[in-house]
Amino acid sequence: MSLIQFENVSKHYAGKTVVAVDNLNLGIEAGEFLTLLGPSGSGKTTSLMMLAGFERPSAGTIRFDGVPIETLPAHRRNMGVVFQSHALFPHLTVAENVAFPLKVRRLSRSETATRVTSALEKVRLAPFAERMPHQLSGGQQQRVALARALVFEPRLVLLDEPLSALDKKLREEMQLEIRRLHRELGVTMAFVTHDQSEAMVMSDRVAVFNHGRIEQIGPPQQLYDAPCNTFVAGFLGDNNKVEGKSGPDPVAPAGQMEIRLANGLTLRGRRAGHSTNGPSQVLCVRPECLKVALDAGQLETGNQIGARLVDIIQQGDHWRLVAALSDEDGGLRAENWTVKVNVGSVPAGLTVGQPVVLRFRPEDAWIF
């Protein structure tokens, strides 16, 4: 049995008119790092708060090591919690902040001192033990909050968007720091974020939430390479899409299908698990899977689609090209497509406003 098990858990607000979590079934394995990923209002934070004991489910059961805990008070669940706001006591030193959970549990002074020193060493803040919170950087304050969540050696640590208030560099450093601690300590962690890059970097598994339900769960690379629907494809990484209808495909390789666009162009991609020959289909392809040329003769065989350059953006280690798909006959439903091109791979003479050809392999596209 999983360490944590959500069984048909729902959470309603304002009677039953607002459904925050809808019949959630989810297991968290001992020792894993599970990320709950989704947009605002998708139910990920509410799920974590129910697990922590700060919210009570409207229906269903939450089990910790097989024991129902949905009615157990938060302070008796023995879970470490790290919030976005750090929630440090401003009048206490770093060491005193970290020691607080141990004092609540009435550990001896010697045991408390030993554990505090050990926790601060784990987050590399031992030299800062006597400083006050306002004397620390944002990243250091978050390390203190993490040490406080770990100091009483909980079996489960819950992290509710703890890095969202940090700047990009600090956020990336803390991602690696939390990843290191998870690997060294082996403690089970459940992490809430809306940042897909955090989920990709840190997680053993990712649960993608939408409208109170899990759309897909699995290892991050699996979700990136094989999304189950357009929502997951668009939320976990950048994604280009275009709508069309199922096309005649008598010789398509196994697992592939065609889509016919409104302008008559036919493209081929991998068939998603639930794809059917319905009235409309959506083809999705990642920006890094596209190649760009000034004319079709410069590209290998494969899917090709005409476009016009809207913008060329330099982003350090790569270029981002923004292109509007050609729609000579009208009716083509697509957002602007983006192309990620390595430095040095941009065709010479490329300028905004000129026509180009985009190419991608059928095996790099999904049809939903």
Side-chain angles (χ1 to χ4, degrees):
M1 181 180 292
S2 302
L3 178 66
I4 299 296
Q5 189 69 46
F6 287 81
E7 299 175 355
N8 305 312
V9 173
S10 296
K11 179 63 179 178
H12 304 135
Y13 293 103
K16 290 190 176 181
T17 59
V18 179
V19 181
V21 176
D22 188 9
N23 197 39
L24 175 64
N25 288 279
L26 171 66
I28 304 176
E29 304 302 320
E32 84 165 327
F33 194 113
L34 176 72
T35 293
L36 312 184
L37 175 70
S40 297
S42 63
K44 59 188 188 300
T45 295
T46 302
S47 298
L48 197 78
M49 292 299 100
M50 287 191 290
L51 179 54
F54 302 130
E55 294 278 0
R56 179 172 290 190
S58 304
T61 302
I62 302 174
R63 299 184 187 274
F64 189 168
D65 215 5
V67 179
I69 61 169
E70 63 272 8
T71 61
L72 193 67
H75 68 275
R76 293 181 57 195
R77 298 195 183 193
N78 204 38
M79 300 176 186
V81 184
V82 182
F83 298 102
Q84 174 183 341
S85 62
H86 316 317
L88 301 180
F89 297 109
H91 62 288
L92 299 181
T93 66
V94 166
E96 290 168 339
N97 266 283
V98 176
F100 185 79
L102 304 179
K103 290 185 176 181
V104 171
R105 289 164 174 79
R106 299 185 178 180
L107 269 67
S108 67
R109 287 188 178 182
S110 59
E111 179 69 10
T112 295
T114 299
R115 289 201 185 191
V116 168
T117 299
S118 176
L120 289 176
E121 286 175 348
K122 287 171 184 173
V123 298
R124 301 171 182 174
L125 282 180
F128 298 81
E130 299 308 314
R131 291 197 185 183
M132 305 300 289
H134 72 270
Q135 296 175 311
L136 305 178
S137 68
Q140 289 169 336
Q141 290 181 27
Q142 197 57 275
R143 287 172 189 246
V144 175
L146 189 57
R148 185 176 59 186
L150 294 169
V151 72
F152 58 96
E153 299 177 355
R155 297 180 63 192
L156 177 65
V157 176
L158 310 178
L159 304 102
D160 183 20
E161 304 211 42
L163 310 182
S164 58
L166 305 180
D167 62 45
K168 184 176 184 295
K169 186 174 185 299
L170 277 177
R171 188 165 64 248
E172 291 175 349
E173 289 177 358
M174 284 301 300
Q175 289 171 11
L176 298 179
E177 187 72 8
I178 295 173
R179 178 184 169 107
R180 176 187 66 82
L181 285 167
H182 173 254
R183 289 179 171 176
E184 289 182 2
L185 303 177
V187 63
T188 308
M189 291 187 174
F191 184 92
V192 164
T193 185
H194 62 271
D195 187 329
Q196 59 92 10
S197 65
E198 283 186 355
M200 292 291 291
V201 167
M202 303 171 69
S203 314
D204 295 321
R205 288 192 304 155
V206 177
V208 182
F209 277 69
N210 186 31
H211 298 306
R213 289 178 172 266
I214 294 178
E215 296 279 352
Q216 189 174 2
I217 184 170
Q221 196 63 49
Q222 181 185 93
L223 269 57
Y224 188 86
D225 292 337
C228 71
N229 56 34
T230 55
F231 177 82
V232 177
F235 198 83
L236 199 70
D238 294 332
N239 190 62
N240 300 302
K241 60 184 179 181
V242 62
E243 292 187 18
K245 296 182 179 180
S246 299
D249 200 3
V251 294
Q256 293 188 7
M257 64 183 295
E258 284 184 347
I259 182 172
R260 187 180 297 279
L261 308 186
N263 62 3
L265 181 66
T266 298
L267 303 173
R268 183 175 290 173
R270 298 164 69 183
R271 182 192 298 268
H274 64 280
S275 290
T276 61
N277 293 327
S280 64
Q281 312 285 152
V282 178
L283 179 142
C284 297
V285 59
R286 303 287 187 188
E288 65 269 20
C289 295
L290 295 171
K291 293 185 178 180
V292 62
L294 300 181
D295 62 73
Q298 295 179 288
L299 294 171
E300 313 138 51
T301 58
N303 291 318
Q304 296 190 12
I305 185 168
R308 178 179 56 82
L309 274 185
V310 175
D311 206 351
I312 303 174
I313 305 165
Q314 187 175 10
Q315 294 193 300
D317 60 345
H318 72 276
W319 290 80
R320 178 180 291 266
L321 312 180
V322 183
L325 300 189
S326 298
D327 185 18
E328 297 175 359
D329 299 327
L332 191 64
R333 297 181 62 187
E335 303 167 357
N336 285 346
W337 279 25
T338 60
V339 187
K340 290 182 180 178
V341 183
N342 291 333
V343 173
S345 300
V346 179
L350 209 59
T351 58
V352 172
Q354 74 179 120
V356 293
V357 177
L358 306 179
R359 184 257 175 184
F360 56 96
R361 303 183 305 167
E363 54 265 40
D364 290 332
W366 287 92
I367 296 178
F368 299 97

